[in-house]
Amino acid sequence: PGADDISVEEEGKRLFKSLKLLNKEIPDAVCSVDTFRSSIAREAVLGCGASIINDISGGEADGDMFATVAELNVPYIMMHMRGNPRTMQQFLQYDDVVADIIRWFGPKIYALHTLGVKDIILDPGFGFSKSPDQNFEMLRRFNEFSVTGLPLLAGLSRKSTIWKTLGTSAEEALNGTTVLNTVALLNGADILRVHDVKEAVEAIKLVSRLKKV
């Protein structure tokens, strides 16, 4: 929250060289690029070997993003957010946070399908234009997002909802992250976006084993 924007030139400068190096050194790596700019997405995929586009704006920051993703034929992670990172915490008013987000996704999913996008992943956007209470309600009702029939991503790792609730800090939020990741997995999350890979993999293995009993 409150992050400054950067120019498209600066974004490319920060991203492309590292992405090309990663693709060269670890060619089997599946790289997801976090951008809301279609020009960055295009170069990341075609010029640098990226495999997935992750758009925090859900296509709202760049009207060409949906058509670009369709042309590139790569998976698209569509996140819900109101406003932008500088203003998003001003837009916390919902009639029903889960139902409102599902309604927001609806026409966007239709538009993507109409363009021929085959692989859409939904991210309700924990912490993006949501209060801590709204984040917990989304997590409690996470399985309701499965009504879309699309894979669901949960990005809870070390977010302020965790450490502010516990009265600690982001550096001390690993245990809380694992707890909420586990809840997300039990409530239908298909993908976790994390900082701490080992702990997340362990949570996935244990929940997967639990579901087989």
Side-chain angles (χ1 to χ4, degrees):
D4 290 331
D5 196 4
I6 59 173
S7 68
V8 63
E9 292 79 16
E10 178 64 20
E11 184 175 357
K13 180 180 177 182
R14 294 183 186 185
L15 174 64
F16 296 148
K17 184 176 180 180
S18 298
L19 191 56
K20 287 177 181 177
L21 180 61
L22 184 62
N23 190 49
K24 177 183 177 182
E25 296 296 326
I26 315 175
D28 292 334
V30 178
C31 295
S32 171
V33 168
D34 185 342
T35 186
F36 51 75
R37 294 181 169 110
S38 61
S39 61
I40 295 290
R42 181 183 300 279
E43 179 61 23
V45 173
L46 297 180
C48 305
S51 303
I52 302 170
I53 297 302
N54 177 57
D55 179 3
I56 64 168
S57 81
E60 295 201 338
D62 186 335
D64 293 328
M65 180 62 89
F66 285 4
T68 300
V69 171
E71 179 186 342
L72 296 172
N73 193 29
V74 294
Y76 178 62
I77 301 172
M78 178 166 56
M79 196 192 81
H80 173 271
M81 177 179 65
R82 290 173 166 177
N84 57 55
R86 295 183 306 281
T87 65
M88 63 185 182
Q89 294 310 103
Q90 301 174 21
F91 303 106
L92 305 180
Q93 298 76 32
Y94 298 89
D95 293 325
D96 180 313
V97 64
V98 173
D100 289 356
I101 292 171
I102 291 171
R103 278 192 289 266
W104 184 89
F105 278 134
K108 297 176 183 295
I109 294 169
Y110 177 79
L112 287 163
H113 281 160
T114 300
L115 289 167
V117 179
K118 303 179 183 67
D119 195 346
I120 307 166
I121 300 160
L122 301 185
D123 177 357
F126 287 102
F128 287 79
S129 56
K130 286 94 178 174
S131 68
D133 285 347
Q134 289 163 345
N135 288 326
F136 278 110
E137 182 174 0
M138 279 173 37
L139 181 59
R140 180 175 59 84
R141 299 169 56 193
F142 199 76
N143 60 352
E144 293 181 31
F145 293 108
S146 64
V147 70
T148 61
L150 297 173
L152 304 176
L153 183 151
L156 293 151
S157 183
R158 296 182 181 268
K159 288 193 171 174
S160 62
T161 288
I162 298 170
W163 54 266
K164 286 182 178 179
T165 298
L166 298 176
T168 56
S169 66
E171 291 73 23
E172 300 172 284
L174 175 55
N175 185 57
T177 294
T178 301
V179 171
L180 295 196
N181 279 342
T182 301
V183 174
L185 291 166
L186 290 171
N187 287 353
D190 300 289
I191 303 169
L192 299 177
R193 183 167 57 237
V194 301
H195 300 91
D196 307 282
V197 176
K198 177 179 180 290
E199 291 80 1
V201 169
E202 289 177 351
I204 290 167
K205 287 181 178 178
L206 291 170
V207 171
S208 297
R209 180 67 180 84
L210 176 66
K211 289 182 176 181
K212 291 179 180 177
V213 174

